[in-house]
Amino acid sequence: MTVYTCEPNLEAMLSCIYDAWASGKGHRNIRLALEPVGQYSFMDEYIHVDEDSDKARKVMDAVCLKISQHVYSELTYTGMAYEEDALDNIYHVMILGFAYGPNVLDMVHYKDVMRNREIRVRLEKEVCGFKDFTRFHEVKKSVYVAHIEPKSRLLPMLAEHFEDRMPSEHWMIVDDIHKEAVVHPKDEHYYFWKLNDEEFEQLLVTENENDEYTDMWKTFFDSIEIKERKNIACQNNLFPKWKRKHAVEFL
C-alpha cells in the first residue's frame, strides 16, 4: 500500500489527490492521509506531497466540470473534519463521482458515500455548536477576540457566520488547537492567518482581560439559573465539557 500524505489545508489536499490519481498505482493500492500521520506501518510506503496551486486547480476544475460544483463544495466541507480517514474518503467519493455523476452523494449504498455523510453530519454538529458557544472578549476599545479549541478546522464556517452578524466590528477568532486565526477588520472582508509561536503566545494573553460585556454576561447567566431545575446530564449533552474551556459563564 502506498500512502500519500500532505498538510491539512485545501490546496495541499487537492495536490495530494492529484498525485495519487496520476500515480497509476491503482486506487485499491493507494491511501491518502493528513499529517501528522497517527501511526505508521512498516508494510506501507509513505510519500509526502507539497501543495501545488496548479495541481489543486486542475482537481477543482475536473470535479466542478465532470461531476458538479455542489459535489466539490460538499467535499471541501468534508476536508475540514478531524477524522483520520477524511481525505481518503474524499478521494474515493471522487472516484465514484467521475463514474456516476452529480448524484453521487445520494448513492448511500456505497460505503464511501455513507461514510462521507457520517463525517459531514458530525462536522455540522460541531460547527453549529461553536456558532452558539464562541465567546468574544473586548481587548481594546471595540476590538473583540474569541478563542476556541475545536476538533476540526472550523474557521471558514465560523468566519462566514460572524461576518454576517458582526459586519461593522473589528474581531478575531483564534483556533488554539491548530494555531490559526480569522481576522475581520471593520466593514471589510475577513482573512485567515497562520500564527507563528510568538503571535500565538501574544494572543493567549487576550483571554485574561475581563471587560464589561463579559461581566454582564456572567451576571445574566447566574441570575436566570433555576437551581431546582438544574440538570447536569442534559447540560453535558447539549454543551459538552470539551467545548467549555473558553466559555466565560463556566470560568
Side-chain angles (χ1 to χ4, degrees):
M1 179 74 71
T2 302
V3 183
Y4 288 85
T5 69
C6 66
E7 293 290 328
N9 64 73
L10 180 58
E11 191 166 275
M13 292 166 68
L14 294 177
S15 302
C16 190
I17 290 171
Y18 180 94
D19 278 7
W21 199 296
S23 69
K25 296 184 178 183
H27 301 313
R28 294 184 179 181
N29 303 318
I30 289 173
R31 182 165 62 87
L32 279 64
L34 294 175
E35 299 171 355
V37 178
Q39 185 173 359
Y40 287 88
S41 170
F42 291 110
M43 304 298 292
D44 298 331
E45 176 190 8
Y46 291 84
I47 300 176
H48 169 77
V49 178
D50 293 319
E51 59 183 85
D52 185 306
S53 57
D54 290 334
K55 293 178 181 178
R57 171 64 64 178
K58 288 177 181 178
V59 174
M60 182 187 72
D61 290 344
V63 175
C64 290
L65 292 174
K66 297 181 180 180
I67 307 177
S68 74
Q69 291 186 353
H70 171 70
V71 170
Y72 174 78
S73 177
E74 291 296 320
L75 293 181
T76 55
Y77 184 68
T78 305
M80 295 191 299
Y82 76 89
E83 280 81 357
E84 290 183 359
D85 63 332
L87 178 56
D88 193 59
N89 177 262
I90 292 171
Y91 179 73
H92 285 91
V93 172
M94 281 186 182
I95 295 171
L96 291 171
F98 286 124
Y100 297 109
N103 295 323
V104 61
L105 295 179
D106 295 325
M107 301 171 65
V108 293
H109 52 286
Y110 285 97
K111 65 177 182 179
D112 292 316
V113 176
M114 191 63 197
R115 176 58 179 158
N116 184 267
R117 183 166 293 191
E118 291 172 356
I119 293 173
R120 287 188 289 123
V121 168
R122 200 281 313 160
L123 179 61
E124 181 63 29
K125 290 181 179 179
E126 187 179 1
V127 171
C128 288
F130 278 98
K131 285 179 180 179
D132 293 335
F133 301 136
T134 298
R135 303 289 186 253
F136 287 89
H137 296 259
E138 187 178 27
V139 296
K140 293 182 179 179
K141 185 174 178 58
S142 300
V143 177
Y144 302 94
V145 178
H147 289 262
I148 60 174
E149 293 191 13
K151 295 180 179 179
S152 306
R153 282 179 157 79
L154 309 181
L155 287 184
M157 301 302 296
L158 295 182
E160 294 286 345
H161 176 79
F162 285 104
E163 183 176 61
D164 182 59
R165 285 154 180 77
M166 302 166 62
S168 298
E169 301 289 350
H170 297 288
W171 54 261
M172 173 189 291
I173 303 175
V174 182
D175 183 339
D176 289 355
I177 296 295
H178 305 103
K179 293 188 178 181
E180 299 169 341
V182 57
V183 182
H184 178 270
K186 181 178 179 180
D187 295 323
E188 296 181 20
H189 190 56
Y190 63 82
Y191 60 91
F192 296 99
W193 191 261
K194 183 69 176 178
L195 301 171
N196 59 40
D197 291 339
E198 182 180 355
E199 292 169 335
F200 181 69
E201 291 298 325
Q202 291 176 345
L203 286 171
L204 285 179
V205 180
T206 61
E207 200 168 28
N208 298 326
E209 301 181 20
N210 285 332
D211 60 273
E212 60 178 316
Y213 297 104
T214 299
D215 294 336
M216 289 170 59
W217 173 246
K218 288 182 178 180
T219 301
F220 171 75
F221 183 79
D222 293 336
S223 65
I224 65 171
E225 179 185 16
I226 303 175
K227 290 183 170 36
E228 294 76 12
R229 299 186 63 182
K230 190 171 184 177
N231 188 330
I232 297 298
C234 181
Q235 188 179 75
N236 290 340
N237 182 52
L238 297 174
F239 196 174
K241 290 183 178 180
W242 66 271
K243 292 183 179 180
R244 297 184 189 179
K245 181 177 179 180
H246 303 281
V248 296
E249 59 267 39
F250 290 97
L251 298 179

